[in-house]
Amino acid sequence: MVPFKTSVFILALHLLEGALSNSLIQLNNNGYEGIVIAIDPNVPEDEALIQQIKDIVTQASPYLFAATEKRFYFKNVAILIPENWQTKPEYVRPKLETYKNADVLVAEPDTPGNDEPYTEQIGNCGEQGERIYLTPDFLAGKKLHEYGPPGRAFVHEWAHLRWGVFNEYNNDQKFYLSNGKNKAVKCSGAITGKNLVNKCQGGSCITKACRSDRVTGQYEKECEFIPDEQQTEKASIMFAQSIDSVVEFCTEQNHNKEAPNMQNEKCNLRSTWEVISDSEDFKKTTPMNTQPPKPTFSLLQIGQRIVCLVLDKSGSMAIGDRLNRLKQAGKLFLLQTVEQGSWVGMVAFDSAAYIKSELLQIHSSTDRAALVKSLPAAASGGTSICSGLRSAFTVIKKKYPTDGSEIVLLTDGEDNTISGCFNEVKQSGAIIHTVALGPSAAEELEELSKMTGGLQTYASDQIQNNGLIDAFGALSSGNGALSQRSIQLESKGLTLQDTQWMNGTVIVDSTVGNDTLFLVTWTKQSPQILLWDPSGKIQNGFLVDAQTKMAYFQIPGTAKVGIWTYSLQTSLQTLTLTVTSRPSSATLPPITVTSKMNKDTGKFPSPLIVYANIRQGAKPILRADVTAVIESANGKTVTLKLLDNGAGADATKNDGVYSRYFTAYDTNGRYSLKVWALGGINAARQREIPQQNGAKYISGWIENGEVKWNPPRPENNENDLQDKQVCFSRTSSGGSFVASNVPVAPIPDLFPPCQITDLKAEIQGGELINLTWTAPGDDYDHGRAHKYIIRISTSILDLRDKFDDSLQVNTTDLIPKDANSEEVFVFKPENITFENGTDLFIAVQAVDKVNLTSEISNIARVSLFIPPEAPPEASPEAPPETSSPFVPCPDVSINSTIPGFHILKIVWQWIGELQLKIGSN
């Protein structure tokens, strides 16, 4: 068995969490600043790697500059060096740079030898990606034949990351039929090469020409397009930047619009340069007249975590038991969430600020208990947020610079002077995490999080939603020790009536179990608490804090793997249950669930998208039951079932990212997001990672007429764990967002059906066309559409640009199904010439009950191929063609006009027969 690499553990812990992408990149006078490249702590210390990172960016900058018509270059980069590497004078402490907001991660590959550079993209065309992944061997130039110079590949990935463009090749479908002939999926079409198969058996390999299937006309699956090493074509970087002559992106003029690749599918047939030209970056710049300077680099080394709690104790905190809820959530943070070795201080504020605790390093439970005693005990006075922040800076500066420190700021009150300390916050280099409690917290609060890259959260006064404890539970370190990271397994609440029970189960899987904590809170009197382990043994030992109205049970050692069962009984009050744990091993990556909205602000009627990313290391977890709960400022909740079906809001099927549109705006103001994920008998790790948005792996090159094959791409080990079912339970706080422009109820229906993005077409029975797609809804991906409009054309551009003028298919009998159901429709093309070699293009539009229409779907295509008449059967003694070890004779039919052609044809036939006889012997 090939073990998961610990470096993947770090991927899951550091880079798949957070409410929103907090990239620090800025574009300043054509130059990109604030790029963060992080080295995974499990990469062996090697100074050469730092130089290689500098080299790749330095090489990439002029290539990017030329490719973008002198518009963009790399100006400065921060390299984040692990804490466990040797300390050096030139390494300085980071400010806002963390593993959580790194734009590039350098880590060992999950599958040995798989050094493909790729970019995580969960959004649609034109939307920025999450981050770029590189390996040490790739940076060291050990994959030149497969991916080309590292600097060029970095520009390919940068286009994914920054401008949201996609690949112009397709590993799943390398050829397509056009006018009845096979064409390679490439861009531009002027790239030259040959279509070949590398057949290997018994340790020896031969190169053969690709053959077409007699029935479908399509090339055999093993067929590859092998490019010529010497080219003159300049485009395109998103096809194969490794070709020496390629120095440009495809434009509208040379883009291959028919190729079935992600760029065409996601971007409505637009070229990469068209998408780049529509970007905000492009609109902000003009071409430069001079060559840009070389990039500069800063070397930053991670240090100990320094965090100061800044807690509101103003008079309004007495409303709705807010102060006591603060103490409950603060106690969870101090007892469980914050990592061993961290330095923690505390400040409380009302009209003024009060230092409750100087920085104290957490070594033991005694240290944690001392900090718990410092939590504010009474509420009174006004609200002065800046006073609290300034006192926090003072506390931190007594021991450390404020660079890279963290402040957790909680407030429920309005403060119209908060902007008075914005400049001090910017200059401090500290990261501010904000917790807005209740409906009246200062509107400017989120600005502190945005300007410093912190997490922004919101908790309502609806205690049963457990929002405040969730907010504090989400504050694990962006750079913390891996074995100390707190993972939330459960978060539930319920208001009980007469002697009701709150029953449920929590799964402790094998990837967690250390330092497991069950925490129960109540609003009036202590409930009856019953807890059974997976063997059915009842667990005693809950510690009751009657004053704070909470009880907790810390399981010694590692908790038993399996289903833990709880029952809580009480009357006429609200209970909550929170369960947290830590990874069971430093080498086995835990299953993680991280959630976020695609934006931190929503303006009605624009929809938002909810994302939940479920991973074990780099492997996606499929078929999990994932539910998002979105709570508005009014305390109302909306529940959404998230899907990984590649339709609607979900960009890619089976990639472990579950998505859904949010349209149920209720009121203006803050909304919070929480996600529950449950893995049962159907959930499983994916055996293979889906096609990444990365640089093209070149299977081989044609050099001076000779084919030189590269080693085959590494495949996942069949004996690895990732194909086995997984059972787990997780909750994840996705932070908060702010809605505006929401009209007073009744809210009008302004939401059309979502775009159909997975339309597929196949020829059926020679003349029928079978269409399949995922049904959209009445409001994006909710409800049921009213009808479909299907149109066809023999011109792909006419169908895209003149959809309403294209030939309409009769859909009288096609009644839409509920959103996310599979639709199937079969029709026979009429009033259009459909003969052998005809390419037919199809698109669908959905219409809702108030006649709002969706965007036009992706364009599906079919190419009618009528098989030629079957040749006479071969004589019994003639071996099948596949038995010949020789390259087939060339097809000379196109040369029938050359002198002596008939004689040549006889000679070629004689040579072919001789080859077959020799091969059979």
Side-chain angles (χ1 to χ4, degrees):
M1 180 187 298
V2 178
F4 284 100
K5 292 203 173 282
T6 309
S7 60
V8 178
F9 188 8
I10 293 161
L11 276 179
L13 298 190
H14 290 311
L15 295 176
L16 294 178
E17 59 185 3
L20 287 167
S21 176
N22 291 320
S23 175
L24 305 176
I25 296 173
Q26 293 187 348
L27 180 62
N28 185 8
N29 293 328
N30 299 82
Y32 287 108
E33 302 177 330
I35 303 166
V36 178
I37 300 180
I39 301 173
D40 186 305
N42 230 52
V43 172
E45 183 167 357
D46 182 4
E47 276 195 76
L49 184 59
I50 296 174
Q51 185 58 48
Q52 289 159 4
I53 292 172
K54 293 180 178 180
D55 290 344
I56 188 177
V57 178
T58 303
Q59 294 161 10
S61 189
Y63 186 65
L64 175 69
F65 186 68
T68 57
E69 299 179 352
K70 301 183 178 181
R71 282 185 181 269
F72 306 116
Y73 69 98
F74 297 122
K75 194 170 186 178
N76 65 57
V77 174
I79 301 176
L80 208 54
I81 298 168
E83 185 179 2
N84 57 1
W85 283 30
Q86 182 179 347
T87 301
K88 296 191 175 180
E90 60 267 33
Y91 299 167
V92 299
R93 184 176 173 87
K95 291 187 177 181
L96 308 182
E97 301 88 354
T98 67
Y99 279 96
K100 190 181 291 187
N101 61 27
D103 306 293
V104 184
L105 182 81
V106 179
E108 298 287 351
D110 182 51
T111 302
N114 184 7
D115 295 285
E116 175 182 336
Y118 71 95
T119 304
E120 183 183 8
Q121 286 179 273
I122 65 175
N124 290 309
C125 185
E127 296 179 8
Q128 292 185 15
E130 300 297 293
R131 58 189 52 82
I132 296 169
Y133 295 88
L134 307 175
T135 70
D137 279 357
F138 169 79
L139 286 169
K142 296 181 180 180
K143 302 294 177 179
L144 286 172
H145 290 291
E146 294 91 336
Y147 299 108
R152 284 170 162 249
F154 188 73
V155 171
H156 176 106
E157 300 313 317
W158 185 262
H160 284 309
L161 179 75
R162 190 66 187 179
W163 302 310
V165 298
F166 293 87
N167 291 329
E168 293 169 342
Y169 64 90
N170 188 342
N171 283 332
D172 296 327
Q173 183 184 348
K174 298 176 182 179
F175 297 89
Y176 65 101
L177 286 176
S178 178
N179 296 320
K181 295 181 180 180
N182 278 288
K183 288 188 176 182
V185 176
K186 57 181 179 177
C187 196
S188 75
I191 297 291
T192 61
K194 294 181 180 178
N195 306 327
L196 301 169
V197 174
N198 191 27
K199 293 280 188 181
C200 296
Q201 188 174 2
S204 62
C205 300
I206 58 171
T207 298
K208 303 180 70 173
C210 298
R211 289 184 306 197
S212 302
D213 184 278
R214 278 188 46 79
V215 176
T216 66
Q218 296 173 344
Y219 275 151
E220 56 196 303
K221 183 179 179 181
E222 297 79 11
C223 185
E224 299 270 1
F225 172 75
I226 307 301
D228 294 321
E229 185 184 39
Q230 299 297 321
Q231 305 268 354
T232 58
E233 176 59 24
K234 294 183 178 181
S236 168
I237 291 170
M238 299 313 292
F239 171 65
Q241 79 295 323
S242 52
I243 296 173
D244 284 346
S245 65
V246 169
V247 292
E248 297 175 355
F249 294 100
C250 263
T251 65
E252 186 177 7
Q253 286 68 40
N254 58 15
H255 176 58
N256 182 358
K257 299 175 180 64
E258 292 190 358
N261 55 38
M262 287 189 71
Q263 176 63 25
N264 280 328
E265 181 178 317
K266 298 283 189 185
C267 297
N268 196 24
L269 312 182
R270 290 186 299 160
S271 68
T272 53
W273 188 246
E274 289 175 87
V275 176
I276 293 170
S277 299
D278 283 341
S279 70
E280 291 301 314
D281 288 355
F282 194 92
K283 294 172 184 176
K284 293 176 182 176
T285 56
T286 56
M288 295 173 61
N289 295 322
T290 59
Q291 286 296 312
K294 289 184 177 181
T296 59
F297 301 89
S298 54
L299 305 181
L300 313 177
Q301 187 167 33
I302 300 300
Q304 293 170 318
R305 187 181 192 189
I306 301 164
V307 58
C308 187
L309 300 180
V310 178
L311 308 175
D312 189 346
K313 59 172 288 294
S314 61
S316 56
M317 287 294 290
I319 299 173
D321 207 26
R322 290 175 186 169
L323 188 66
N324 194 61
R325 291 173 60 206
L326 162 61
K327 292 164 70 175
Q328 293 169 345
K331 193 167 182 177
L332 173 68
F333 177 79
L334 295 170
L335 291 178
Q336 182 75 1
T337 305
V338 71
E339 300 81 4
Q340 287 286 100
S342 301
W343 289 86
V344 180
M346 190 184 305
V347 169
F349 68 92
D350 45 40
S351 302
Y354 314 91
I355 295 175
K356 305 290 289 184
S357 174
E358 302 289 354
L359 285 182
L360 174 66
Q361 189 170 27
I362 295 178
H363 294 295
S364 65
S365 58
T366 303
D367 299 323
R368 294 179 183 271
L371 286 161
V372 168
K373 290 179 181 179
S374 301
L375 289 167
S380 63
T383 304
S384 176
I385 292 171
C386 285
S387 295
L389 292 174
R390 291 180 180 119
S391 290
F393 296 150
T394 299
V395 168
I396 294 168
K397 287 177 181 177
K398 288 179 181 177
K399 281 191 176 293
Y400 292 99
T402 51
D403 287 348
S405 63
E406 299 171 71
I407 291 174
V408 178
L409 170 63
L410 177 143
T411 185
D412 73 335
E414 298 178 359
D415 180 0
N416 55 17
T417 66
I418 187 173
S419 59
C421 55
F422 279 3
N423 285 334
E424 293 170 70
V425 168
K426 290 178 183 177
Q427 295 299 320
S428 73
I431 299 168
I432 313 291
H433 308 293
T434 57
V435 183
L437 177 57
S440 302
E443 292 183 1
E444 303 89 346
L445 190 63
E446 282 79 8
E447 292 300 318
L448 294 167
S449 297
K450 292 175 185 177
M451 71 175 67
T452 63
L455 181 68
Q456 63 181 56
T457 58
Y458 160 68
S460 75
D461 286 328
Q462 301 300 311
I463 298 173
Q464 71 275 12
N465 294 332
N466 213 23
L468 194 55
I469 284 179
D470 291 339
F472 274 79
L475 293 170
S476 57
S477 172
N479 293 319
L482 304 181
S483 60
Q484 293 293 309
R485 200 258 191 170
S486 180
I487 296 174
Q488 198 167 38
L489 308 186
E490 182 60 285
S491 171
K492 286 284 179 68
L494 188 64
T495 298
L496 301 177
Q497 303 305 317
D498 293 336
T499 62
Q500 280 186 302
W501 290 85
M502 175 175 162
N503 302 316
T505 59
V506 179
I507 300 172
V508 176
D509 58 274
S510 61
T511 70
V512 293
N514 284 347
D515 199 17
T516 303
L517 180 79
F518 282 75
L519 174 69
V520 178
T521 73
W522 56 88
T523 54
K524 293 182 179 178
Q525 67 274 345
S526 176
Q528 182 180 358
I529 303 173
L530 301 175
L531 177 66
W532 295 270
D533 72 11
S535 67
K537 181 180 179 181
I538 194 163
Q539 301 294 300
N540 297 310
F542 272 85
L543 298 176
V544 178
D545 180 349
Q547 184 179 8
T548 313
K549 299 176 184 176
M550 62 187 293
Y552 57 94
F553 174 56
Q554 194 97 36
I555 298 172
T558 302
K560 287 183 180 180
V561 173
I563 298 175
W564 290 68
T565 304
Y566 62 86
S567 289
L568 312 177
Q569 191 271 330
T570 191
S571 296
L572 302 175
Q573 64 171 329
T574 300
L575 303 182
T576 73
L577 172 79
T578 306
V579 184
T580 62
S581 190
R582 300 189 195 277
S584 59
S585 168
T587 57
L588 179 68
I591 294 169
T592 59
V593 177
T594 54
S595 54
K596 65 181 238 180
M597 306 297 296
N598 66 323
K599 298 177 182 178
D600 55 15
T601 57
K603 187 174 182 180
F604 182 88
S606 297
L608 295 176
I609 299 176
V610 188
Y611 293 116
N613 198 336
I614 309 182
R615 290 283 189 274
Q616 184 177 12
K619 301 294 184 183
I621 302 293
L622 308 184
R623 300 187 297 279
D625 186 4
V626 185
T627 303
V629 177
I630 298 175
E631 182 184 7
S632 73
N634 284 341
K636 295 182 180 180
T637 58
V638 173
T639 301
L640 300 175
K641 182 176 177 59
L642 306 187
L643 302 172
D644 187 13
N645 61 354
D650 194 61
T652 305
K653 184 176 182 178
N654 289 342
D655 65 346
V657 178
Y658 297 71
S659 316
R660 200 72 183 271
Y661 282 110
F662 170 74
T663 59
Y665 288 96
D666 172 50
T667 184
N668 292 311
R670 294 183 175 95
Y671 289 66
S672 66
L673 167 66
K674 176 162 68 176
V675 166
W676 282 303
L678 186 66
I681 57 174
N682 291 322
R685 305 174 187 88
Q686 179 151 311
R687 181 179 298 278
E688 295 180 1
I689 297 176
Q691 178 177 325
Q692 305 284 5
N693 298 309
K696 180 177 174 58
Y697 185 98
I698 300 294
S699 298
W701 298 92
I702 298 177
E703 301 178 15
N704 299 319
E706 180 183 354
V707 181
K708 294 188 177 180
W709 293 94
N710 288 323
R713 295 181 73 191
E715 296 182 357
N716 290 305
N717 191 317
E718 292 292 325
N719 295 320
D720 210 346
L721 287 173
Q722 62 264 28
D723 61 325
K724 295 185 178 180
Q725 69 180 41
V726 289
C727 295
F728 65 93
S729 57
R730 296 286 188 276
T731 64
S732 168
S733 172
S736 63
F737 63 95
V738 178
S740 63
N741 207 37
V742 180
V744 177
I747 296 177
D749 181 359
L750 300 179
F751 299 110
C754 64
Q755 181 188 29
I756 295 165
T757 58
D758 61 350
L759 179 67
K760 295 180 176 60
E762 292 182 346
I763 298 287
Q764 181 176 305
E767 57 182 11
L768 299 177
I769 296 176
N770 184 78
L771 299 181
T772 59
W773 68 92
T774 301
D778 179 85
D779 296 341
Y780 286 90
D781 54 7
H782 304 276
R784 178 186 293 196
H786 177 62
K787 66 178 180 179
Y788 293 116
I789 298 172
I790 301 177
R791 296 184 185 273
I792 59 177
S793 176
T794 55
S795 167
I796 192 170
L797 289 183
D798 282 351
L799 186 62
R800 183 191 71 173
D801 300 334
K802 303 174 184 177
F803 180 80
D804 291 340
D805 298 331
S806 299
L807 184 64
Q808 186 168 349
V809 175
N810 185 348
T811 58
T812 303
D813 298 329
L814 177 57
I815 300 174
K817 297 179 181 178
D818 289 337
N820 301 301
S821 303
E822 183 185 24
E823 298 278 23
V824 179
F825 181 67
V826 179
F827 71 98
K828 181 179 179 179
E830 297 178 349
N831 302 318
I832 196 168
T833 302
F834 195 45
E835 56 191 15
N836 194 23
T838 299
D839 297 327
L840 192 64
F841 303 95
I842 308 108
V844 182
Q845 188 177 48
V847 184
D848 74 3
K849 61 181 180 291
V850 296
N851 216 34
L852 296 174
T853 57
S854 71
E855 295 181 51
I856 308 303
S857 72
N858 65 295
I859 296 178
R861 66 176 293 154
V862 291
S863 186
L864 183 59
F865 178 81
I866 301 175
E869 294 184 8
E873 293 186 7
S875 58
E877 65 273 12
E881 186 178 354
T882 54
S883 66
S884 172
F886 296 91
V887 177
C889 293
D891 181 2
V892 296
S893 58
I894 58 172
N895 297 319
S896 57
T897 58
I898 64 174
F901 164 77
H902 296 292
I903 298 175
L904 287 172
K905 183 175 181 181
I906 293 171
V907 172
W908 275 322
Q909 287 174 342
W910 177 81
I911 292 173
E913 292 170 356
L914 181 61
Q915 285 184 340
L916 288 173
K917 289 179 181 179
I918 295 173
S920 64
N921 293 328

